[in-house]
Amino acid sequence: MQTELSNALGVEYAVFGFTPFPAVAAAITRAGGFGVLGAVRYTAPGDLVRDLDWMQEHTEGLPYGLDVVMPAKKVEGVTEADVEAMIPEEHRRYVQAILDKYDVPPLPPGEASGWRITGWMEEVARTQLDVAFDYPIKLLANALGSPPADVIERAHAHGVKVAALAGSPRHARHHKAAGIDIVVAQGYEAGGHTGEIATMVLTPEVVAAVDPLPVLAAGGIGTGEQIAAGLALGAQGVWLGSIWLTTEEADLHSRRLTAKLLAAGPGDTVRSRALTGKPARQLRTAWTDAWDDPSGPGTLPMPLQGLLVAEANSRIQRYETEPLLGTPVGQIVGRMTSERSVQAVFDDLTRGFERAIDRINRIAGRA
Ligand SMILES: Cc1cc2nc3c(=O)[nH]c(=O)nc-3n(C[C@H](O)[C@H](O)[C@H](O)COP(=O)(O)O)c2cc1C
């Protein structure tokens, strides 16, 4: 399974894996794919140094990348406190009412809420980049829009290719004009922030829109047959996120959440603004239902919603409050039915890919 892009990056398989866990990213790379570590939760540069040091030691000199979240629109001079002050009381009361309804205890004294909006601020992403360019990363990906021109230049000066996620052909054309090297065509099925176009429709449209740039197909890919489909649609590789969440190397910190993922079917996710204020696909829970309830106040725009729910989410995760417990995950969650090593997932992907190719060859009368 080799394409011009996988050859240029020096990987055996054109399978790119996004993950927030260093152990998963390193295992993807060791299995012959291209591991991409999500950096959004690294608000302290020291933590990123620690984990990139670890990645260096566990990737055997093979290539890997980093994914940052640099919003396209920069808001100058606004602090977290300014954003905090913009949150209406009605919304704060609504959060409290949900937590009360499900008896979610407060965090113990001194335990800080884990997830803040700072990881989405350009200053924070820039400090992550200052760290990242000290390591031999081969790819820098950006989630929300094209990174600023100076960041693209800096990456290129370090020999690092730049990728950006696109949910529509319009986004993809914008990335091409900005000087991006690789476009990830991420469909509606995907876990995390998504647009409204399915991968099956989006991939060939993006391939045509940015030709000759390489495109990776993303969203709803979790089997080798789906990899073959993505490549058949013109992609030079595939980009998988959800499938790694239930691997043995993943560190979800919650057995109950892993069990929920393993039990979920393809219809158990929802594209909701509950987490960040922008539509993101995630497990459907009592929490997402509460924010989609027309009798409630509805969600706030990004970044207000993320800040509003940060502490509540930390509490839900800490106490594993079953009905409210969720995570970003895509429709492929239905295929995530057992906890396996990254290598076992990879073996399954490559076997499925071979099966698909054999089948198509038979259909085409070539075998
Ligand atoms: C738990 C989770 C967190 C994600 N966080 C990010 C992120 O921080 N940055 C990013 O570029 N994409 C993020 N994504 C999206 C992935 O990069 C990828 O495009 C998506 O998972 C592909 O679709 P799939 O989930 O169907 O495999 C996330 C996805 C998941 C499941």
Side-chain angles (χ1 to χ4, degrees), residues 24-360:
V24 177
I28 293 168
T29 284
R30 285 198 310 271
F34 192 101
V36 180
L37 178 66
V40 70
R41 71 194 169 96
Y42 293 96
T43 48
D47 293 348
L48 187 57
V49 169
R50 180 199 61 213
D51 284 0
L52 287 177
D53 279 344
W54 189 93
M55 291 278 296
Q56 266 310 105
E57 281 164 31
H58 293 85
T59 44
E60 300 165 1
L62 297 164
Y64 62 89
L66 195 76
D67 178 283
V68 295
V69 180
M70 211 174 240
K73 291 191 199 89
K74 186 174 175 181
V75 191
E76 294 282 353
V78 178
T79 65
E80 205 171 295
D82 297 335
V83 179
E84 190 91 54
M86 290 160 74
I87 296 174
E89 262 319 299
E90 183 197 4
H91 285 77
R92 293 193 190 279
R93 280 196 300 273
Y94 194 64
V95 169
Q96 195 51 51
I98 307 172
L99 295 174
D100 289 347
K101 181 173 172 191
Y102 291 95
D103 290 325
V104 187
L107 290 175
E111 194 168 310
S113 147
W115 167 249
R116 310 294 290 178
I117 56 164
T118 45
W120 299 340
M121 290 182 162
E122 190 173 319
E123 301 89 275
V124 176
R126 281 183 183 274
T127 58
Q128 292 165 348
L129 294 177
D130 289 340
V131 171
F133 288 130
D134 284 342
Y135 292 82
I137 58 166
K138 289 281 181 292
L139 180 85
L140 176 70
N142 192 43
L144 301 176
S146 314
D150 67 298
V151 172
I152 299 176
E153 262 173 45
R154 201 170 155 198
H156 287 166
H158 281 85
V160 175
K161 285 191 190 297
V162 182
L165 273 63
S168 71
R170 186 177 59 83
H171 279 155
R173 274 191 290 272
H174 188 271
H175 290 328
K176 186 182 182 190
I180 297 290
D181 307 295
I182 301 164
V183 178
V184 182
Q186 195 220 37
Y188 171 85
E189 305 92 318
H193 292 118
T194 58
E196 291 181 336
I197 309 171
T199 306
M200 185 82 165
V201 173
L202 182 68
T203 304
E205 292 233 10
V206 170
V207 168
V210 302
D211 184 57
L213 288 189
V215 171
L216 301 176
I221 300 179
T223 67
E225 286 81 353
Q226 287 160 332
I227 293 178
L231 297 178
L233 293 171
Q236 285 216 23
V238 288
W239 173 279
L240 285 59
S242 293
I243 197 78
W244 317 111
L245 289 176
T246 49
T247 55
E248 288 161 1
E249 291 87 343
D251 192 8
L252 282 180
H253 296 295
S254 165
R255 295 306 305 162
R256 272 189 207 165
L257 182 54
T258 301
K260 267 185 121 169
L261 288 171
L262 295 175
D268 292 332
T269 70
V270 63
R271 197 166 154 268
S272 161
R273 294 178 186 267
L275 201 58
T276 64
K278 275 190 190 286
R281 186 169 298 286
Q282 53 202 286
L283 265 190
R284 182 178 170 192
T285 63
W287 177 258
T288 60
D289 284 352
W291 289 102
D292 289 338
D293 185 345
S295 67
T299 52
L300 295 170
M302 188 185 241
L304 300 188
Q305 182 72 13
L307 202 52
L308 169 69
V309 302
E311 200 240 4
N313 274 330
S314 295
R315 287 165 63 178
I316 293 164
Q317 279 162 23
R318 184 173 202 296
Y319 298 107
E320 301 185 65
T321 313
E322 184 94 37
L324 302 173
L325 193 60
T327 173
V329 71
Q331 294 177 338
I332 197 67
V333 71
R335 297 299 293 247
M336 295 154 54
T337 52
S338 66
E339 231 176 322
R340 293 175 297 163
S341 66
V342 166
Q343 183 65 57
V345 171
F346 234 88
D347 291 345
D348 210 35
L349 293 174
T350 50
R351 271 195 303 270
F353 178 76
E354 293 299 335
R355 266 196 313 272
I357 298 305
D358 287 349
R359 184 163 181 275
I360 295 298

